């Protein structure tokens, strides 16, 4: 539901990441990491991104989304596992005292510039 | 897309799963080469502008000794009534104020103002009809409040179980209200909301005699997402079950204010 705002932030951050010594450079691809415990619907984000990228150096750029699984560690028994069901207790010792290691990412990893024409 | 197609959320909550790499705008991009065009490393959280502003808010609340609760729920779960009753009980003891977010109308603010607490209404219409309150929106709303004259600030977020969970606003605690008319499975469908909150209310229990609702299952589902979280069974209408909820709030406030 907030994909439009997220897409605008992506365009802003990506535009600011174009090196100053390359004025006029265009972005061909944005590499994004999205955790599976994320409100982001990739199709919606891609749609919004295409809209907000218009008339920016990112117009026509591809949004490459890598999904990151939800990894957790148990603070009681140090077991590490991947959460793939909506259940957040340790499968080894049943403790609820856990820490999520990954799965909440919404990070721009890198941008790829278009070949100069 | 969480967990087999469940539409869930990621949050910029500082407790877990949130690597604190926050690079700053001044960090020089690192250029590397890949096939095709030139690749430039960025490695930035998309929402880091919000996280930064949430940090600014949090620092301000700490300096002013104000406890801040972010109250979230789906529309119609009883947030405003819960808040009205909560204010009635807390007001003699603590100086309270409310920031209330809605996409349109000031009806909630009008209701809450009757409590005597200062109320700031935010209509996100101005911000593009946003589905959540972002940190900079809260920062703007603080202009209408005298933080020196406050102990507790409650933010009634936009009715939505998805987006508000994702936006840190600088609060101390988060609570979510689920009403017994919403279905026992909601915590499993919106796991991050229940994951990021510190307490949950199962509200409208006065309706239970009229419903085919398994409140034990609803509570168990909340605990499946967030083991050990306090779950309060309440009726904002009759105030049944309010005592433990109010006690939790008082205790969290005292912990902050000392």
């Amino acid at each position: 539901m907030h994909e439009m705002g997220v897409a605008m932030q992506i365009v802003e951050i990506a535009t600011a990441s174009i090196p100053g010594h390359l004025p006029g450079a265009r972005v061909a691809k944005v590499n994004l990491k999205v955790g599976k415990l994320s409100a982001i619907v990739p199709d919606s984000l891609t749609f919004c991104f295409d809209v907000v990228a218009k008339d920016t150096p990112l117009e026509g750029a591809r949004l490459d989304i890598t999904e990151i699984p939800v990894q957790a560690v148990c603070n009681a028994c140090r077991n590490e596992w991947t959460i793939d069901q909506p259940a957040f207790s340790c499968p080894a010792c049943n403790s609820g005292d856990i820490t999520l290691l990954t799965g909440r990412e919404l990070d721009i990893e890198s941008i790829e510039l278009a070949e100069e024409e | 897309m969480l967990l087999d197609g469940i539409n869930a959320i990621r949050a910029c909550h500082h407790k877990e799963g949130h690597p604190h790499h926050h690079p700053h705008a001044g960090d020089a991009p690192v250029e590397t080469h890949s096939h095709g065009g030139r690749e430039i490393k960025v490695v930035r959280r998309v929402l880091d502008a919000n996280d930064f502003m949430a940090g600014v808010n949090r620092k301000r609340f700490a300096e002013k000794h104000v406890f801040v609760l972010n109250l979230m729920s789906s529309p119609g779960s009883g947030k405003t009534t819960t808040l009205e009753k909560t204010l009635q009980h807390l007001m003699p003891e603590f100086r309270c104020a409310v920031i209330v977010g809605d996409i349109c109308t000031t009806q909630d603010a009008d209701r809450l103002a009757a409590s005597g607490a200062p109320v700031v209404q935010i209509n996100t219409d101005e911000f593009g009809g946003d589905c959540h309150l972002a940190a900079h929106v809260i920062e703007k709303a603080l202009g209408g409040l005298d933080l020196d004259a406050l102990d507790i600030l409650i933010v009634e977020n936009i009715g939505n179980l998805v987006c508000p969970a994702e936006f840190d606003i600088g609060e101390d605690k988060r609570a979510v209200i689920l009403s017994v008319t919403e279905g026992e499975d909601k915590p499993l469908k919106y796991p991050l909301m229940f994951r990021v909150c510190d307490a949950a209310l199962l509200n409208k229990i006065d309706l239970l005699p009229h419903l085919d609702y398994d409140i034990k299952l609803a509570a168990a589902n909340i605990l499946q997402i967030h083991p050990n979280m306090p779950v309060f069974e309440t009726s904002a209408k009759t105030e049944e079950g309010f005592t433990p909820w109010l006690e939790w709030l008082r205790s969290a406030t005292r912990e902050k204010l000392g």
Side-chain angles (χ1 to χ4, degrees):
Chain A
M1 291 157 94
H2 52 281
E3 276 83 354
M4 188 58 85
V6 168
M8 288 164 75
Q9 288 292 316
I10 291 172
V11 170
E12 196 178 315
I13 293 170
T15 304
S17 302
I18 297 171
H21 64 274
L22 295 174
R26 302 189 65 79
V27 175
K29 195 170 148 199
V30 177
N31 293 308
L32 191 71
K33 272 193 191 170
V34 178
K36 284 210 169 200
L37 196 61
S38 153
I40 298 300
V41 178
D43 284 352
S44 303
L45 183 58
T46 301
F47 174 81
C48 293
F49 175 77
D50 290 347
V51 171
V52 298
K54 281 212 163 52
D55 303 320
T56 78
L58 282 86
E59 184 164 350
R62 192 156 70 84
L63 197 58
D64 189 273
I65 299 175
T66 304
E67 290 188 10
I68 307 296
V70 184
Q71 290 279 342
V73 61
C74 174
N75 296 322
C77 75
R78 308 312 297 172
N79 175 43
E80 284 192 28
W81 79 103
T82 302
I83 296 178
D84 53 10
Q85 296 291 319
F88 291 75
S89 293
C90 174
C93 76
N94 208 31
S95 169
D97 181 14
I98 70 163
T99 301
L100 298 188
L101 301 172
T102 62
R104 292 192 175 174
E105 294 76 5
L106 183 53
D107 301 338
I108 298 185
E109 279 298 293
S110 64
I111 58 175
E112 292 178 30
L113 299 185
E115 299 278 16
E116 285 171 37
E117 289 163 20
Chain B
M1 75 190 193
L2 163 86
L3 312 173
D4 303 327
I6 296 168
N7 216 5
I9 31 227
R10 63 152 304 288
C12 25
H13 200 238
H14 287 79
K15 273 188 184 164
E16 55 178 24
H18 175 186
H20 279 250
H21 53 228
H22 293 264
H24 300 288
D27 293 351
V30 179
E31 296 181 25
T32 57
H33 291 275
S34 71
H35 38 271
R38 188 187 335 208
E39 183 173 10
I40 297 163
K41 285 277 171 215
V42 179
V43 195
R44 260 181 76 178
R45 281 176 43 75
V46 173
L47 296 179
D48 69 357
N50 185 77
D51 292 353
F52 176 80
M53 189 48 76
V56 170
N57 289 348
R58 189 166 280 118
K59 185 161 177 272
R60 192 164 162 196
F61 296 140
E63 283 166 3
K64 298 290 184 183
H65 302 285
V66 179
F67 170 78
V68 182
L69 176 76
N70 185 359
L71 187 61
M72 298 176 279
S73 81
S74 51
S77 62
K79 268 195 308 299
T80 308
T81 306
T82 299
L83 204 40
E84 281 178 301
K85 298 291 177 74
T86 299
L87 289 171
Q88 277 174 21
H89 287 279
L90 293 178
M91 284 291 277
E93 201 179 334
F94 297 104
R95 299 167 299 170
C96 302
V98 178
I99 293 175
V100 53
D102 280 297
I103 294 177
C104 310
T105 83
T106 60
Q107 290 179 16
D108 284 0
D110 298 342
R111 281 170 60 188
L112 291 166
S115 69
V119 179
V120 177
Q121 170 87 51
I122 298 171
N123 284 128
T124 59
D125 251 359
E126 284 178 54
F127 302 97
D130 265 355
C131 44
H132 61 271
L133 296 178
H136 71 274
V137 176
I138 298 298
E139 195 270 337
K140 191 178 169 198
L142 293 179
L145 291 171
D146 178 7
L147 292 181
D148 288 318
L150 287 184
D151 301 312
I152 297 179
L153 173 62
I154 301 180
V155 177
E156 183 185 333
N157 219 309
I158 311 281
N160 180 341
L161 284 177
V162 183
C163 312
E166 200 157 357
F167 290 84
D168 185 3
I169 56 174
E171 71 278 68
D172 296 293
K173 297 283 184 194
R174 299 172 171 191
V176 55
I177 304 178
L178 184 68
S179 61
V180 299
T181 53
E182 290 176 78
E184 300 94 337
D185 56 349
K186 291 294 175 284
L188 307 183
K189 289 185 172 173
Y190 302 94
L192 200 63
M193 176 58 80
F194 291 86
R195 189 74 211 152
V196 301
C197 280
D198 303 288
L201 283 76
L202 274 169
N203 194 30
K204 304 194 185 181
I205 57 169
D206 56 293
L207 293 176
L208 283 174
H210 311 287
L211 302 171
D212 184 17
Y213 188 82
D214 186 345
I215 195 162
K216 284 197 167 57
L217 175 61
N221 284 342
I222 291 173
L223 293 174
Q224 184 176 318
I225 298 300
H226 197 156
N228 309 327
M229 177 159 70
V231 179
F232 304 110
E233 298 179 11
T234 58
S235 164
K237 187 178 175 185
T238 66
E239 297 183 29
E240 187 182 351
F242 252 51
T243 304
W245 154 244
L246 292 170
E247 210 33 64
W248 179 84
L249 211 44
R250 284 191 185 100
S251 156
T253 304
R254 289 196 197 103
E255 196 181 309
K256 169 90 182 266
L257 305 183

